Amino acid sequence: MKDFRSVADEVAEEIVAGRLKGGERLPPQREFARLHAIADSTAARVYQELARRGLTVGQVGRGTFVTETPGAPVPAPALSEPAESRVDLELNHPVVPEQAGLLAAGLEKLVRADRLESFLRPVGPAGTPAAREAAADLLARGRWRPDPERILFAGNGRQAVSAAVAALTRPGARLGVEEFTYPVLKAIAARLGVTLVPLAMDGDGLIPEAVEEAHRADPLHAVYVQPVLHNPLSLTMPERRLDHLADVLLTSGIHAIEDAVWAFLRDDVAPLAARAPERTVLVDSLSKRLSPGLSLGFAVAPAATAGRVAGALRSGGWTPMRFPLEAMARWQTDGAVDTLVRAKRREAGARQEIAHRHLGDFRTRSDPSSYYRWWELPSPWRADTFVAAAARHGIAVTPAAAFSAGRLRGPQAIRLGLASPTRETLARSLATLADLARSAPEDFAGE
């Protein structure tokens, strides 16, 4: 039986060679399955894999088409489920050995029968006073602590992002984003009918003048930005850049959605929300700090927009259950959050050292505090071909096209998530990828 990746490789070769042209429609999946003598379910996985590599785009009611510039981004969901490869360097779930014990200790008093019933009930986006106070302490960094009355809660971080976008835009609105951005945001924007406007970046992150220029050309409704440990580039905006961006927001009247999901690893940087609090909705989540299975999102919203964000949370069905609020408050009060954050910072540093040891001879970019590494592949490797070659070795990595917000072809680069495998597995996988990069694509093609 043919593996779906090998069939996807065959189609990818046809696209790269130009035998399948940009804009050309692929056959319906059932017809494709018959042509290639594979199961319908395998054909579906082939089409998903081609879309993930940025080679095709699906259009509802019309079919699947080869992208005009193969490798360009598509509005399909990305990075939303664990990869099926044996080693997952796509999703990033930081875990440390002491995690389970610390979290279990904080739950003991919550699961008593006399308290559990009330804790399992739903709660509104404003949560409880105790939860807001604990969340304010949890989110505080760089001498900034949010006003507890401005904190709202969502079921998870993605829902907090969705609610902020829904509250600050409308169908047809223009949302400015960094030219490389969080892939799930592209799916959120597509679902809400929002147009993403890619904004230029440099070594310090988003360029404020790019925001001004795009706003003058056609007004932006809001800007989505990751100022600290940007995903996928691991860039952190210096203080002067954050101050400049805040000035642009204040003078232009644009709102910002500040995604701070990785900022707990760099508590020395005060957020954009501290500089332009009346124009910024800060979103965050619990899962990276504590555990991937713990679902709770935060939105710190200015008074003028808090009602709209809360309304979006309610209408989207994104309000939390009370249990994770109570658990978060308990873990924050007993010091478990601080202990785990310190451990995860140390772990990030150790994993970056492993990455440097194996990839130090290549052009990579990261931060000692980050769990990501951006790798500009050596010529003549193409990102899509390298992703396929890595998959043949049982390693899942993410091509640059998954993060590109524009229609132009992105660089021949991949993003590596360093958090999910064990250190030993990570080291072996990076050694394998380094050997692969030193070989020629023709060597892979002959396997």
Side-chain angles (χ1 to χ4, degrees):
M1 180 179 296
K2 289 186 178 180
D3 178 77
F4 77 94
R5 293 187 186 88
S6 64
V7 180
D9 291 345
E10 293 173 6
V11 179
E13 290 175 5
E14 294 288 306
I15 295 172
V16 171
R19 290 186 288 273
L20 283 174
K21 307 294 185 183
E24 187 170 342
R25 184 178 182 272
L26 296 185
Q29 289 183 16
R30 288 186 179 179
E31 181 180 341
F32 182 90
R34 289 194 297 272
L35 290 171
H36 290 266
I38 58 177
D40 290 351
S41 59
T42 303
R45 297 175 75 185
V46 171
Y47 277 43
Q48 291 170 1
E49 176 67 11
L50 292 171
R52 191 183 70 83
R53 298 185 195 179
L55 296 172
T56 62
V57 59
Q59 298 182 13
V60 177
R62 296 191 61 211
T64 299
F65 297 82
V66 178
T67 54
E68 295 294 341
T69 53
V74 295
L79 309 184
S80 57
E81 298 293 340
E84 296 181 2
S85 297
R86 291 188 297 275
V87 180
D88 184 0
L89 301 186
E90 287 191 296
L91 294 184
N92 232 8
H93 295 317
V95 175
V96 291
E98 57 266 51
Q99 191 163 297
L102 284 169
L103 297 179
L107 291 176
E108 290 178 358
K109 294 183 179 180
L110 297 181
V111 296
R112 286 174 14 195
D114 60 333
R115 309 185 71 182
L116 188 58
E117 182 178 355
S118 64
F119 289 166
L120 293 179
R121 295 172 182 169
V123 67
T128 65
R132 291 195 298 273
E133 286 291 340
D137 290 336
L138 181 144
L139 297 172
R141 59 183 167 88
R143 300 183 302 281
W144 171 81
R145 182 180 186 268
D147 179 354
E149 295 305 310
R150 301 273 69 84
I151 296 176
L152 300 168
F153 298 95
N156 57 48
R158 292 176 181 178
Q159 293 174 354
V161 173
S162 296
V165 174
L168 299 179
T169 66
R170 61 175 184 269
R174 284 162 47 86
L175 176 64
V177 296
E178 292 139 321
E179 57 187 316
F180 291 101
T181 193
Y182 178 38
V184 172
L185 179 71
K186 299 194 287 184
I188 292 171
R191 188 174 67 248
L192 296 175
V194 173
T195 300
L196 296 185
V197 180
L199 304 171
M201 304 175 70
D202 62 14
D204 287 337
L206 177 63
I207 301 173
E209 289 84 357
V211 179
E212 293 177 304
E213 182 179 350
H215 189 58
R216 282 195 301 268
D218 191 355
L220 300 173
H221 286 74
V223 174
Y224 169 90
V225 61
Q226 304 172 80
V228 179
L229 296 179
H230 173 276
N231 173 21
L233 301 179
S234 296
L235 299 175
T236 293
M237 291 188 184
E239 299 279 348
R240 65 184 184 280
R241 176 62 61 86
L242 283 166
D243 290 340
H244 189 178
L245 180 58
D247 289 341
V248 169
L249 298 177
L250 294 171
T251 56
S252 64
I254 303 172
H255 280 96
I257 301 167
E258 178 179 11
D259 192 333
V261 68
W262 289 105
F264 72 94
L265 296 168
R266 286 284 306 269
D267 65 352
D268 57 319
V269 183
L272 183 63
R275 296 167 165 83
E278 61 271 46
R279 306 305 304 176
T280 305
V281 177
L282 181 143
V283 294
D284 205 335
S285 74
L286 202 61
S287 60
K288 304 300 184 185
R289 279 180 176 83
L290 300 187
S291 176
L294 299 173
S295 179
L296 184 63
F298 309 94
V300 182
T305 60
R308 282 183 281 163
V309 176
L313 288 167
R314 293 190 189 94
S315 63
W318 299 325
T319 54
M321 299 297 290
R322 185 171 175 178
F323 188 83
L325 295 183
E326 298 290 341
M328 177 273 299
R330 173 72 59 179
W331 289 321
Q332 178 61 34
T333 301
D334 67 15
V337 174
D338 287 343
T339 299
L340 285 176
V341 165
R342 289 194 298 271
K344 292 189 177 186
R345 288 173 184 162
R346 292 192 298 270
E347 186 65 19
R351 288 170 180 264
Q352 287 292 348
E353 289 178 2
I354 293 172
H356 180 73
R357 185 163 67 245
H358 291 285
L359 304 178
D361 294 338
F362 298 96
R363 293 183 61 185
T364 65
R365 173 190 298 164
S366 194
D367 181 289
S369 303
S370 174
Y371 279 94
Y372 292 124
R373 205 166 187 98
W374 182 255
W375 185 2
E376 295 182 14
L377 297 169
S379 180
W381 278 104
R382 293 167 47 90
D384 58 333
T385 309
F386 192 85
V387 169
R392 290 281 186 90
H393 287 79
I395 304 169
V397 299
T398 312
F403 304 94
S404 179
R407 299 303 301 172
L408 296 178
R409 187 187 183 113
Q412 302 305 326
I414 61 170
R415 190 209 66 181
L416 302 172
L418 308 180
S420 297
T422 65
R423 289 189 190 181
E424 294 75 15
T425 300
L426 176 65
R428 289 196 302 270
S429 301
L430 295 181
T432 297
L433 294 179
D435 289 342
L436 183 62
R438 293 185 184 100
S439 68
E442 292 77 11
D443 296 339
F444 158 71
E447 291 181 2

